[in-house]
Amino acid sequence: MSFRDESDGHRRFALPGARLQYGPDRTVDVEHIDLHLTPDLNAQSLDGVCTTTVRALDEPVDHVVLNAVDLQILSVEYNGKLQRFERRNDTLEIQFDTAVAPGAQATFSVTYRVERPRHGLFFIEPSREYPGRVGQAWTQSQDENARYWFPCFDYPDSKQTTSTTIVVKKGLFALGNGALVERKDDGDRTIFRYRQDVPHSTYLMTLVAGPFSEIEQRNAGAGSVPVWYYVVPGREADGDRAFGNTPRMLEVFEERTGTSYPYARYSQIAVADFIFGGMENTSATTQTDRTLHDATAHLDFSSDPLVSHELAHQWFGDLLTCRDWAHAWLNEGFATYFECVWFEANLGYDEYLFDVFGCVARYLDEDSERYRRPIVCNRFRDPIELFDRHLYEKGGAVLHMLRGELGDARFWRSIRRYVKENAQRSVETIDLIRAIEDATGRNLRGFFDQWVFRGGHPDLEISVAWDAKRKAATVTIDQKQTVDDANPAYVFDVEIGFVNDVDPKPATDFGPGPLPGERRMRIHVERAHETVTVPLDFEPKLFRFDPGAFILGSVTYKFGADFAAATMVGDPDPAARIRAARELAKDGSLVAREALGAAFTREPFWGVLDATAGALGATKAPWAREILLAALTHEHPKVRRAVADALGNFRNGVGAALVTPATGDASYYVRAAALASLGRSRDAAAFDVLRVAVEGQSWNGIVEAGAARGLAELADPRGAELLINATRLGRDEGLRRAAVIALGRFAELVESERTRVIDVIGELLDDRMLLVQIAAISAAESLGDERLLPALNRLSTSAFDGRVRRDAVEAAMRIREARKVPAQVSSLRSDLDSLREEQRKLQEKIEALSRS
Ligand SMILES: [Zn+2]
């Protein structure tokens, strides 16, 4: 089976074995789940009693089939009597001795035990390699792993109220969903009782237990909702840096959604070795403890994206839940978009737009490098496969575009309507479309067809020309993606504007509106090549395309150096300035070089300089290197980071300049970027600096990870030992991930170390840290060595985690694809040889005939 979609040259999302997925049939409605849980952190076990109250639908129910994996079922009770039950594959089937009548309620209890679970419930303990680790237990139920820690109807469309009793050793803390209704000591144990009175799905249920400091946050404006965070003792200050903005976020999101925070309290608990960034369990988010950070990291790192994302889920995902995974963008796209919304409220419009811009870039990357799919899509093997950049980033970008389409007032009115009408319900995309229609009268089915139900996006090229004689500007919009019967041109409205005068400095946080004196108009685009001629009574000095960067796709300016330079100076839209910087870097004329150089002193927003540095680096031109070297001491750490990173594109004349930031910059991230670039520069001084740096110990291994990347690019065989050491258990998890990727790259460059590195990567494919395992798969894929195929094939079927399985399949396919290329080349070569032979014979015949 081909992995490539022939119609537009993009890879397919669906892997072999993928099938159309629909939610399960139901015979009962679940009304309540009561859990009584006694986790034993030392034995890594859980004793549980799960009592489920159901109501029969329209027919008598004599049995139910629950999801239950690896649970030792001890007994099942109904009406005070033990019931027959059967374990089948991953289900528990319970036979009722008397059928439940249609519409009647029934309550049954399952007593069970979990020992050393493989998924769903995780026990963290100190080990030889990590002696400082604190014992914890935490669950991760999404997408379908609640069934590993209690028997249930484990699908998002089933919503019920819950109560959770957790019994732990005295001195430990335990977290469940909803209000903490009781907490009492009982001998050497403590009992916690939680109640979640707002119906929620099983994938949002949680249990966390361990020693935690409990901190209640100041909560000035957020109604009466108590806000808490929990961290291991000693990390309270780091917790405050990570979670400090939560109460203010709550206020902002209540205002934007028009709906009060729906649960009795909001808690964030930071756990070790978490397998995601965060998980939005209702009222009780689990966060990775890697987001806790020191004051140095706080210079240019913020937990706000993670914190705002999980908080937004309390509305989008938790209160309104996707009915099935195909529509999971209603959870993730919204949560991603609300990260931007928080930026807008907290830091202003420019940061908002830059965040959206980043979402689009990451989606475009996945679309070109990995596969293309519609956002709503129900052909897959595991639901977790859907949790990609199409779901998150493209989903978020669609909401930004929707805001542009409707305008602010109508957009927020629609969102509020959608939340209000669907609170506590399960939703599909049509519910959002209808809410918009109800709130505004706009029928956006075409919009959703194009951007949500169809894969892809337009790749736009925009040019503008001024005809002084006719006093008219001509704007050309080309759609450069494949356009044919199967892939029609994108249809959209877009705003353009002409300005007569350029302000010498762009306004900040200006928003998408028109500048004073701007001639603004909305044009309709529906063909692959559109030309608009606009008569003007002035010669425009500034041309604006799509202020607010609403159109989801790639946009390349072909404005010419003068217009682009004017954009860099005077367009208040940071996305426009970034696009202009990219054009100018490619242009390279004197006008362009001057505009780019001046940007580093004039540009008010670091985000534009981040992109400008990247564009300059990509040129690899000496003049660009000089601009970057001069910018290496910029006051903003995120600019210094981007500049240091961009300098990695140059081999000569940058090494000496990078040593100072690599060893002495105030920011971890700048040091890391400078170290990586120092390695890429292959400067003679690099090895000694990298050797020291990779053995260090910075927050989350950030600096060491930069050194590992540098060692890979330096391609000095002495780096092998250092890199292998950096992947070892005992080192920071983030460093281990970076180091395994770096090792893969290193082996590409240093043939003599390849076999040894492949052995190490082979071992890491089975690493007990899931995220290290995933990094190892990625390293195996980019290395493309067939010797890793058997291990990848094994993981693709037998791994427990859906992400591991999917990544392993993709990696193995790409390695096999790459193997096919040499085979194809040699087959074509032999075709060519026989054609040459044929040609020779024909020529002989011709010559013979002409002689005769
Ligand atoms: Zn999320």
Side-chain angles (χ1 to χ4, degrees):
M1 193 185 217
S2 163
F3 198 46
R4 232 172 237 285
D5 188 334
E6 300 305 329
S7 87
D8 62 359
H10 283 76
R11 284 168 200 271
R12 284 196 195 130
F13 168 69
L15 296 178
R19 59 190 174 81
L20 291 171
Q21 307 264 3
Y22 303 93
D25 297 330
R26 292 182 307 144
T27 58
V28 295
D29 237 353
V30 182
E31 296 190 334
H32 189 77
I33 295 173
D34 176 77
L35 290 174
H36 191 287
L37 305 169
T38 310
D40 183 331
L41 270 52
N42 294 324
Q44 307 209 346
S45 66
L46 173 77
D47 286 297
V49 180
C50 176
T51 304
T52 307
T53 302
V54 300
R55 193 175 291 278
L57 298 180
D58 297 332
E59 289 169 22
V61 172
D62 61 0
H63 76 287
V64 289
V65 182
L66 299 165
N67 302 109
V69 187
D70 292 354
L71 305 182
Q72 299 170 34
I73 308 297
L74 306 176
S75 64
V76 177
E77 234 179 85
Y78 168 55
N79 281 345
K81 283 187 289 184
L82 291 175
Q83 304 291 306
R84 280 200 302 126
F85 65 88
E86 207 164 327
R87 304 283 331 274
R88 282 208 181 98
N89 298 325
D90 293 340
T91 61
L92 167 65
E93 184 170 332
I94 301 172
Q95 290 290 335
F96 296 128
D97 54 7
T98 45
V100 186
Q105 209 184 44
T107 298
F108 56 90
S109 300
V110 179
T111 303
Y112 65 99
R113 186 172 164 77
V114 182
E115 277 175 7
R116 298 199 168 258
R118 291 183 293 180
H119 221 308
L121 169 60
F122 297 79
F123 289 94
I124 306 302
E125 58 180 359
S127 63
R128 192 162 45 83
E129 297 93 351
Y130 300 97
R133 181 147 290 174
V134 177
Q136 297 174 350
W138 47 260
T139 58
Q140 170 59 30
S141 303
Q142 197 177 16
D143 45 335
E144 295 179 348
N145 296 328
R147 60 191 67 175
Y148 282 87
W149 62 282
F150 64 97
C152 55
F153 296 97
D154 199 8
Y155 203 72
D157 67 346
S158 177
K159 287 185 147 193
Q160 52 273 308
T161 56
T162 60
S163 43
T164 314
T165 302
I166 309 165
V167 182
V168 291
K169 232 167 68 185
K170 198 163 157 181
L172 298 187
F173 173 75
L175 184 64
N177 302 93
L180 175 59
V181 290
E182 192 184 7
R183 174 182 192 160
K184 63 174 184 196
D185 290 338
D186 176 23
D188 60 351
R189 308 181 310 169
T190 306
I191 300 170
F192 294 82
R193 284 187 212 282
Y194 291 89
R195 267 198 76 85
Q196 181 56 288
D197 291 325
V198 182
H200 62 149
S201 305
T202 49
Y203 83 85
L204 296 166
M205 289 175 68
T206 187
L207 155 71
V208 181
F212 287 97
S213 284
E214 306 173 45
I215 291 101
E216 183 161 19
Q217 296 182 263
R218 294 166 310 282
N219 187 20
S224 58
V225 181
V227 179
W228 290 81
Y229 70 79
Y230 304 86
V231 293
V232 293
R235 300 207 69 185
E236 293 81 0
D238 291 354
D240 195 53
R241 274 184 283 270
F243 305 129
N245 284 335
T246 313
R248 276 178 54 223
M249 281 179 201
L250 231 152
E251 266 177 74
V252 169
F253 291 176
E254 287 189 328
E255 190 276 325
R256 295 292 194 279
T257 61
T259 294
S260 304
Y261 175 80
Y263 306 110
R265 67 195 327 250
Y266 187 59
S267 307
Q268 294 173 91
I269 190 159
V271 305
D273 276 359
F274 197 50
I275 55 176
F276 292 91
M279 178 62 214
E280 68 272 22
N281 308 302
T282 58
S283 81
T285 289
T286 307
Q287 304 280 25
T288 170
D289 65 359
R290 302 184 65 77
T291 203
L292 306 176
H293 57 278
D294 60 21
T296 302
H298 206 58
L299 280 178
D300 51 357
F301 171 84
S302 166
S303 298
D304 279 10
L306 174 68
V307 171
S308 55
H309 179 104
E310 304 307 332
L311 180 63
H313 270 313
Q314 301 295 320
W315 287 264
F316 304 103
D318 295 6
L319 186 62
L320 291 72
T321 309
C322 61
R323 181 177 294 279
D324 54 52
W325 300 118
H327 295 272
W329 83 281
L330 297 172
N331 297 8
E332 299 302 347
F334 273 85
T336 304
Y337 183 63
F338 269 67
E339 298 172 34
C340 312
V341 170
W342 165 248
F343 269 136
E344 185 178 19
N346 189 43
L347 301 172
Y349 177 81
D350 290 353
E351 291 267 2
Y352 160 83
L353 195 65
F354 189 68
D355 214 31
V356 171
F357 210 66
C359 285
V360 174
R362 286 191 296 280
Y363 149 69
L364 290 174
D365 217 42
E366 181 172 85
D367 179 84
S368 64
E369 300 295 319
R370 199 174 179 199
Y371 51 67
R372 168 170 290 182
R373 72 179 183 86
I375 294 178
V376 173
C377 155
N378 68 340
R379 186 188 287 277
F380 50 83
R381 307 197 314 177
D382 291 302
I384 194 76
E385 293 173 40
L386 296 169
F387 287 70
D388 61 4
R389 293 174 179 182
H390 284 70
L391 198 74
Y392 288 72
E393 279 91 347
K394 189 180 184 188
V398 163
L399 291 170
H400 170 69
M401 186 168 41
L402 184 62
R403 185 168 166 183
E405 176 71 29
L406 293 171
D408 262 22
R410 288 194 199 96
F411 173 76
W412 288 112
R413 202 156 77 225
S414 300
I415 297 299
R416 291 187 188 118
R417 181 95 176 203
Y418 169 64
V419 174
K420 196 140 278 159
E421 291 196 343
N422 294 288
Q424 301 196 16
R425 291 186 45 214
S426 305
V427 283
E428 295 173 272
T429 305
I430 188 69
D431 296 305
L432 176 61
I433 297 172
R434 289 201 175 116
I436 296 165
E437 204 168 310
D438 290 347
T440 68
R442 292 286 308 275
N443 179 348
L444 291 186
R445 280 163 173 78
F447 176 97
F448 280 84
D449 271 353
Q450 183 166 269
W451 303 106
V452 176
F453 295 108
R454 166 181 166 189
H457 57 264
D459 293 315
L460 302 177
E461 227 174 68
I462 316 300
S463 55
V464 60
W466 170 246
D467 184 335
K469 241 189 252 157
R470 290 168 53 209
K471 296 206 86 177
T474 302
V475 177
T476 309
I477 300 169
D478 280 312
Q479 300 194 24
K480 306 297 276 189
Q481 77 281 5
T482 304
V483 175
D484 56 25
D485 287 348
N487 303 283
Y490 281 79
V491 180
F492 53 89
D493 287 355
V494 62
E495 296 203 340
I496 56 174
F498 301 92
V499 187
N500 167 359
D501 237 1
V502 181
D503 203 310
K505 201 173 175 75
T508 53
D509 297 325
F510 186 80
L515 284 163
E518 178 177 338
R519 175 86 194 283
R520 176 72 72 91
M521 65 203 65
R522 199 169 179 83
I523 59 171
H524 182 68
V525 174
E526 59 180 26
R527 286 168 305 193
H529 176 78
E530 294 274 5
T531 307
V532 185
T533 300
V534 184
L536 293 169
D537 53 12
F538 58 87
E539 177 180 350
K541 299 291 181 326
L542 179 68
F543 169 62
R544 309 189 67 197
F545 175 78
D546 190 22
F550 293 114
I551 307 304
L552 202 175
S554 72
V555 177
T556 306
Y557 284 0
K558 301 262 173 176
F559 284 9
D562 290 331
F563 270 121
T567 302
M568 283 231 69
V569 173
D571 196 317
D573 185 322
R577 301 205 295 281
I578 289 171
R579 288 165 174 164
R582 288 177 182 158
E583 178 179 359
L584 290 168
K586 275 189 218 150
D587 181 280
S589 63
L590 185 61
V591 169
R593 295 189 320 237
E594 281 175 2
L596 291 165
F600 285 92
T601 48
R602 184 157 56 192
E603 171 60 46
F605 180 42
W606 69 268
V608 173
L609 293 177
D610 168 278
T612 303
L616 286 168
T619 67
K620 299 182 192 277
W623 62 266
R625 180 187 60 203
E626 297 316 308
I627 295 176
L628 288 168
L629 283 171
L632 201 47
T633 51
H634 195 278
E635 61 180 9
H636 201 297
K638 289 184 181 177
V639 176
R640 294 201 301 277
R641 186 199 306 189
V643 168
D645 183 54
L647 281 169
N649 289 292
F650 302 89
R651 277 283 158 84
N652 301 315
V654 296
L658 286 167
V659 173
T660 304
T663 52
D665 198 278
S667 150
Y668 296 132
Y669 287 98
V670 178
R671 268 182 259 165
L675 286 163
S677 288
L678 187 58
R680 288 174 74 189
S681 78
R682 307 237 169 130
D683 189 89
F687 184 78
D688 287 332
V689 176
L690 295 173
R691 181 175 51 80
V692 174
V694 80
E695 301 286 352
Q697 211 166 15
S698 64
W699 169 74
N700 279 1
I702 295 292
V703 176
E704 298 84 270
R709 292 199 299 278
L711 281 169
E713 295 291 342
L714 184 60
D716 181 325
R718 290 175 293 170
E721 199 59 37
L722 294 167
L723 284 173
I724 291 169
N725 281 339
T727 68
R728 298 268 186 235
L729 276 168
R731 303 303 302 274
D732 177 88
E733 184 203 304
L735 169 61
R736 298 187 66 219
R737 273 150 49 192
V740 61
I741 301 277
L743 256 188
R745 174 72 182 144
F746 178 78
E748 277 178 53
L749 300 173
V750 187
E751 189 60 39
S752 62
E753 298 292 331
R754 197 175 172 98
T755 302
R756 183 176 171 205
V757 167
I758 281 171
D759 287 344
V760 175
I761 292 177
E763 275 171 44
L764 291 166
L765 284 172
D766 289 311
D767 198 80
R768 62 172 190 244
M769 287 181 178
L770 182 83
L771 300 180
V772 173
Q773 197 182 12
I774 288 173
I777 295 172
S778 164
E781 178 179 326
S782 62
L783 190 49
D785 198 285
E786 288 178 34
R787 282 170 280 182
L788 292 165
L789 273 176
L792 290 170
N793 288 336
R794 175 171 50 75
L795 287 178
S796 66
T797 52
S798 68
F800 255 85
D801 189 89
R803 281 183 290 173
V804 172
R805 286 196 299 272
R806 162 116 208 166
D807 288 0
V809 176
E810 281 190 48
M813 280 180 136
R814 303 228 175 154
I815 293 174
R816 281 196 297 267
E817 251 181 33
R819 181 171 60 179
K820 272 188 211 144
V821 172
Q824 277 171 355
V825 168
S826 78
S827 133
L828 287 170
R829 283 220 176 95
S830 86
D831 287 354
L832 190 62
D833 286 346
S834 31
L835 284 170
R836 283 199 181 117
E837 179 65 17
E838 195 102 331
Q839 186 190 21
R840 195 182 54 79
K841 284 179 187 160
L842 286 169
Q843 225 139 29
E844 278 175 9
K845 267 188 197 168
I846 293 169
E847 279 162 27
L849 282 171
S850 20
R851 275 197 302 270
S852 64

